[in-house]
Amino acid sequence: MPTIVHGFDWPDRVVVGTVGEPGARTFYLQARAGRRVVSVGIEKEQSALLAEKIEEILDELMNAEGNPASVPVETPIELVDNDPLEQPVDAEFRTGVMSLGWDPSTAQIVIEAYPLVVTEDDDASPFDPEPVEVEPAEMLMVRIPVGTARAFAKRTLEVVGAGRPICSVCGSPIDPDGHVHTLPGDL
């Protein structure tokens, strides 16, 4: 069966956002073109890494001789998007593997998200030299221009950082109802 591609070549909007309270948030990667909206579940760590890698690609392109892709240094003000996710948020799938690339023919960052695949192969061994390859049933592919990519990365890092504050003593998140930690030697 061929893979269903939820493709967005020039989306009106692409964001990472959350549903829930800090400490119990669920992260989503969401794209919209017109009235069509696609959301996929994504881990907090995946969100942060995606934004960091986009920033790296953009910085590298910006530093290319003459900045031929016209990569902005800062997020263009007209591309700032602080609105919540489009409702209702119905995830097509939970993201497993992601890929990130650059399409020089359109001067766009390309984000691909594939579903988390869980296989139960009784004959498989963790030491098998040949991994089981599974054709994904669907995928999300979003192509965004450099200014939008800069805005996407900035917003994503802000969303990731808006969680629970971190305890300066033990490094664990502090819950709204308090925090108890054990220092080395207290055992």
Side-chain angles (χ1 to χ4, degrees):
M1 182 156 126
T3 300
I4 297 168
V5 178
H6 303 283
F8 292 85
D9 288 339
W10 294 94
D12 298 326
R13 182 176 196 226
V14 59
V15 295
V16 166
T18 62
V19 173
E21 296 299 317
R25 297 185 298 169
T26 302
F27 284 72
Y28 295 94
L29 170 59
Q30 188 178 76
R32 177 176 50 82
R35 296 176 62 185
R36 184 170 146 248
V37 177
V38 173
S39 303
V40 297
I42 185 171
E43 294 296 324
K44 178 180 180 178
E45 294 79 15
Q46 286 175 309
S47 303
L49 187 59
L50 177 61
E52 290 165 7
K53 293 300 180 186
I54 287 173
E55 287 285 338
E56 285 178 21
I57 290 171
L58 293 174
D59 290 345
E60 192 175 300
L61 291 166
M62 187 179 67
N63 292 324
E65 188 174 329
N67 191 4
S70 300
V71 178
V73 176
E74 300 286 325
T75 299
I77 193 72
E78 67 274 9
L79 297 178
V80 172
D81 182 348
N82 293 321
D83 292 336
L85 293 170
E86 308 278 339
Q87 298 294 323
V89 180
D90 293 320
E92 296 294 327
F93 56 83
R94 188 100 199 124
T95 301
V97 174
M98 296 186 80
S99 69
L100 183 62
W102 169 250
D103 184 346
S105 67
T106 60
Q108 291 178 303
I109 295 287
V110 181
I111 302 168
E112 295 179 349
Y114 298 89
L116 181 63
V117 177
V118 178
T119 60
E120 293 187 25
D121 185 355
D122 293 335
D123 297 331
S125 161
F127 304 105
D128 278 345
E130 295 182 34
V132 176
E133 290 192 28
V134 178
E135 184 76 25
E138 57 189 323
M139 68 174 285
L140 172 66
M141 183 171 60
V142 182
R143 298 171 167 274
I144 52 178
V146 292
T148 302
R150 187 69 84 188
F152 173 87
K154 181 179 186 294
R155 175 200 165 108
T156 300
L157 291 172
E158 289 171 356
V159 167
V160 167
R164 297 175 289 174
I166 302 298
C167 175
S168 61
V169 176
C170 71
S172 297
I174 301 171
D175 291 322
D177 57 347
H179 176 69
V180 176
H181 54 85
T182 305
L183 296 173
D186 286 351
L187 299 174

